[in-house]
Amino acid sequence: MHPPLLRIRLLGGFRLERDGGAPPAERWSRPGARTVVKLLALAPDRQLHREQIMAVCWPHAELPAALRSLRVALHAARHALEPELRPRTASAYLIGDGALLRLAREAVWIDTEHAATLARQALAGGRGPELGAALAALTGELLPEDRYANWAEPARERLERLRVEVRGALARAACAPGGAEPRPEADAARVRLDWALALERSGRYEDAAGVLREALAAYERQGLRDAGALAAARLAEALSRSRGEGAGEALAVLRAHPPGPGAPDAVRAAHHMARSAVLSYTGRYEEGLAAARAAQRAAEAAHGPDRPTLLARSLAQQTVCLGLSGRTGEAAGPAERALAPAEESADPAVVATVLSVLRETARRAGRYRQALEYGRRALALAEQAGRPTATAFERANLAELHLLLDEPEDAERLARAAVELATPFGGTALAFALVALARVHAVPAPDDAALLLDRAERCAESGGHLQALDEVRAARAALAAGRAGR
């Protein structure tokens, strides 16, 4: 039986998560244990000689003392990575091989390795979307808590060299001839759109908004109104997800950059879709529904490769608005019709979005097992698409479904995993995850649940997402009712 995959994240700070089983320890009993794991994760082959580790962690200790410290650190590290590990049982992740220590390649995923692989593949292909995704994966400071540690410097230099190479390739891709006379500024803006998409799917909405502003400004300078309207639609959605006050700015961007009279149907569909998304975030569900229907009409008239994605998103958005406005009897139809164009798009992120909406519709109808099936499929696709905030959201919702099905152990495992994944992003994603964990703790530990909800409320307010705030209030009311009934 294969162990659950352990994910080690080093960009933006040291974080761990597992795809199943007990979550890794949040607090480590020995600081040296954490350093041992970091050193192995940064090593080019994931392995180091024991003496190399001792030289870094305990440089001034005598050999017997350093050996004792290493044994204690290894014990602490193995049990932090695998809390369920039994005494004198070999770790599935941190392996001793004589004088060498290594992280198991088949059981451990490391974000810096993944980013480097994406970068090498993108550099070999030279295409804008892949280069943008690679640059997004490389975003984030390596171990900021160890900013001045000499042992991390070689890895920092390797990553920076890769970033420079990818940025250079992006610039060359922007200016590559396509048969017509190249317009370097407009081409550079298209590359920024690709880069922003990768950032959005990584949950880095503020970074994406900054890149999209640059793309929009470039299109304005070129007088490319349709391209500008499309960039504005993308910017509006990123702004509405990035911070609490972003919705107002998002609507202003859309008003300032509407599609022209002769704009392609795909541009009009993107504009209406963005407006619907922003309106729904602020609780204006009826207006959001009207905009989603306008997006559907434009998408149905559109031609080209973006048509299935736009049609699927506009139909799913109608279900969201109908469900949140209380019109649950009408909600299922549009999302069910959205699944075929979503699958036609061959984009796992789009399919995951539609499945997520179908999951919520089935849950509201009391079809919990069907909702669980939709949710599991959505989770797998969100993970495949590399969307951490969407992954955290799906885990949180699956946790609540397991709770409704009286499966508290599965509920707690998924809720904890959701919180851990969402913590670096904060805002709305973390609010939903904390609410799920609070509901898990409501009966066995109501005081802990109340503290979790306090934290969730702060996150929801910072994210400015009305549905997240409603979820916090509903969970708080249920907690109070439960306490009164005991």
Side-chain angles (χ1 to χ4, degrees), residues 12-330:
F14 181 71
R15 306 182 304 284
L16 299 172
E17 62 178 285
R18 294 170 78 195
D19 286 358
E26 293 183 11
R27 296 181 180 177
W28 292 52
S29 59
R30 301 276 175 173
R34 189 188 295 260
T35 303
V36 167
V37 175
K38 292 177 182 179
L39 288 167
L40 292 171
L42 290 176
D45 297 320
R46 297 185 173 194
Q47 66 179 22
L48 290 170
H49 196 283
R50 291 170 189 261
E51 291 186 1
Q52 291 176 283
I53 293 175
M54 290 188 291
V56 170
C57 295
W58 305 281
H60 305 299
E62 297 291 334
L63 181 59
L67 284 168
R68 284 194 300 273
S69 296
L70 178 61
R71 281 196 296 271
V72 172
L74 288 174
H75 177 82
R78 285 169 173 145
H79 285 273
L81 301 177
E82 295 175 88
E84 75 279 13
L85 190 66
R86 295 178 179 177
R88 294 182 293 280
T89 302
S91 170
Y93 305 124
L94 204 171
I95 298 167
D97 186 6
L100 295 175
L101 294 169
R102 60 184 172 86
L103 293 173
R105 187 161 296 279
E106 67 282 359
V108 180
W109 177 94
I110 303 170
D111 64 347
T112 50
E113 285 188 354
H114 175 69
T117 299
L118 287 180
R120 286 191 291 269
Q121 292 172 346
L123 288 166
R127 297 181 64 248
E130 288 79 7
L131 290 164
L135 194 56
L138 288 163
T139 301
E141 181 182 356
L142 178 70
L143 297 175
E145 68 275 19
D146 298 306
R147 186 171 294 139
Y148 304 109
N150 291 333
W151 51 262
E153 200 58 35
R156 281 200 181 88
E157 292 175 357
R158 287 197 302 270
L159 288 170
E160 187 54 33
R161 285 196 297 270
L162 268 179
R163 291 187 187 106
V164 169
E165 285 187 65
V166 172
R167 289 191 193 105
L170 271 170
R172 291 190 295 274
C175 298
E181 182 67 25
R183 303 179 71 176
E185 188 171 20
D187 290 341
R190 281 196 292 272
V191 170
R192 288 189 177 97
L193 293 180
D194 293 333
W195 184 8
L197 179 61
L199 289 167
E200 289 171 294
R201 291 188 172 180
S202 299
R204 301 184 177 109
Y205 298 115
E206 290 191 13
D207 292 336
V211 173
L212 288 165
R213 282 193 183 95
E214 294 174 1
L216 177 57
Y219 286 135
E220 285 183 308
R221 287 191 295 270
Q222 294 281 315
L224 300 174
R225 182 173 180 178
D226 293 341
L230 187 60
R234 292 272 306 279
L235 174 58
E237 291 202 53
L239 285 169
S240 66
R241 294 173 177 172
S242 63
R243 60 187 190 280
E245 66 272 18
E249 184 183 352
L251 290 172
V253 166
L254 291 171
R255 285 193 297 270
H257 302 278
D265 293 306
V267 174
R268 293 192 298 110
H271 173 84
H272 291 306
M273 183 63 223
R275 188 166 182 273
S276 177
V278 176
L279 290 167
S280 69
Y281 289 150
T282 56
R284 296 160 64 179
Y285 302 126
E286 291 297 334
E287 293 176 80
L289 177 61
R293 285 173 171 164
Q296 178 193 348
R297 291 191 293 271
E300 287 172 339
H303 301 281
D306 293 334
R307 183 183 186 275
T309 294
L310 292 166
L311 185 56
R313 289 192 66 212
S314 63
L315 287 165
Q317 181 66 15
Q318 289 175 48
T319 291
V320 170
C321 293
L322 286 164
L324 291 173
S325 63
R327 297 162 65 178
T328 54
E330 306 170 57

